[in-house]
Amino acid sequence: MPDDIFGEPLPALVRPRRKRQLTDTEQRSVTQRIEDCLDYPVIYELAELLPPPGHVGCPRRYPSLVYLLLASLMPVTGSKRSAVGALTTPAQWSRVRAAVRRHAGRRAAALLAPAPPSRAQYLYAEENILAPHIDMLQEAFEHHALQQAVAQGLFPAGSARNWAGPRRGQLLAGDATVPKAPSKAEQATTEDTATGRVLSHRIDPAARVYYENGEKAKRAARGTKWFFASGREDGYWRRVILAFCHVAGGAYEDEAAVAVRTFTHLSSHLPGCMGVLYDGAFRGTHRDALARQGLLVINKQHGSTAPRAYELLRYGRCRHVLWCQDGRIAERIGLDDGTSHLVPVPVTRLEPRHGPAKSRWYHLLRIPCRHGAHTHRVPVAITTTPADRTGTDRATGKPRPSDSEREFHRAEHLQQIPQDTRAHQLLYPYRSDAESLHNQLDQSLWNRRMISYGLARQKVYVLGFTLSQNATSHRLHQDRNGQ
């Protein structure tokens, strides 16, 4: 289809390979990443929100800043014990004191003890200082992450917009993952069948069973599910994690609902955001919610979506039967053997019409015809309801029924960027960056399992993981700009 704005899809063997091997200059050692965290201003900003040492009870030897620094170092070193051990040498603890003096002032550095805290001291602080204030820390983190993304050139508000082919830095990517629970035990007590003894086990109260890998090849995973939203440009360590959320429900709809709420919040604070990238967990309902806000939704068409008759067009002596197939309009063409075939209709333009309350999206079609090509405009991505203004029929003058009234789920059948196009082939692979983020989270865990029990303490670990990732991105951005 040379006239199609989205382009003809390329066969798998002809598609360009964009993956490349990580070079030595792009590697970051543990020591370098520790330095990145020590010089990350956001950690010091968040520490200002934590309560200072009180004047009643046992005096605290360390300010809250030290424990927040340790929380960000745990994903770098791999465990709580190794994070504490990385600071035990006099030289490293001196670097901590120097970093605190640079970013928090001499008074904060003077409050530090001569040696770093122990693991037991951190566990006490995690339960009594960090975990009770984690929601406040998470909200403040998202605020600073948005500012960092804009400062690093992501989601530029004044740049040109190509709705049929946006740049990577103009799209939000998101997905959810389930790290394994810290313990395999699902019951507090079990009975040994050989000896009859009652065995006690420590269980994670926040863990539950989720299902991953889609609906066809479900794989059970027991743990806590975490959703991440991020943005990035090309190049390693240029990702900025913008938000993370816990997904309490085990159904795919629960994950998608969390994603829609998060994308809605982030896009309202990012004027240059054009759309989102997500996997098959998004269905028509979720596309509809985001498309109404003026966002592109780039994901795969669900396999259970069967072709459906859409409209019969009459232009004088010719007639065209239009169907919905593979996320776009196709024309039904009769063959000589009495069968028919669905041929995609070229799309010459993707038209967004943004309004103050809601937006609309249209495909401008060029329907081939022996009597001359026809132009036809088709709404996409949004399933209209009786509350929406749908216009009147020119032939009868009566109001047109909405999609919901005629039981047509338009957002499920018609995508903004159809799947079987070259534009989709170029854009959708950017979603794999979310899988890369999940892999880094798994590798940061000791034995690939969460190292804390309970939702609040696990959220502290996830906060530390996002801080450590953004710290390296911030440091390399400064190095590239000579700051």
Side-chain angles (χ1 to χ4, degrees), residues 168-205:
R168 188 175 194 174
Q170 296 173 316
L171 298 174
L172 288 167
D175 200 4
T177 184
V178 184
K180 294 181 181 179
S183 171
K184 294 182 180 180
E186 300 183 14
Q187 298 179 357
T189 58
T190 58
E191 182 178 351
D192 191 338
T193 56
T195 62
R197 294 177 54 192
V198 177
L199 305 177
S200 300
H201 307 281
R202 188 180 183 185
I203 61 174
D204 181 15

Side-chain angles (χ1 to χ4, degrees), residues 50 125-135 137 456-458 460:
L50 294 172
E126 182 185 58
E127 183 175 359
N128 296 277
I129 301 175
L130 299 180
H133 301 88
I134 185 58
D135 293 335
L137 294 174
R457 298 177 67 178
Q458 291 180 10
V460 171

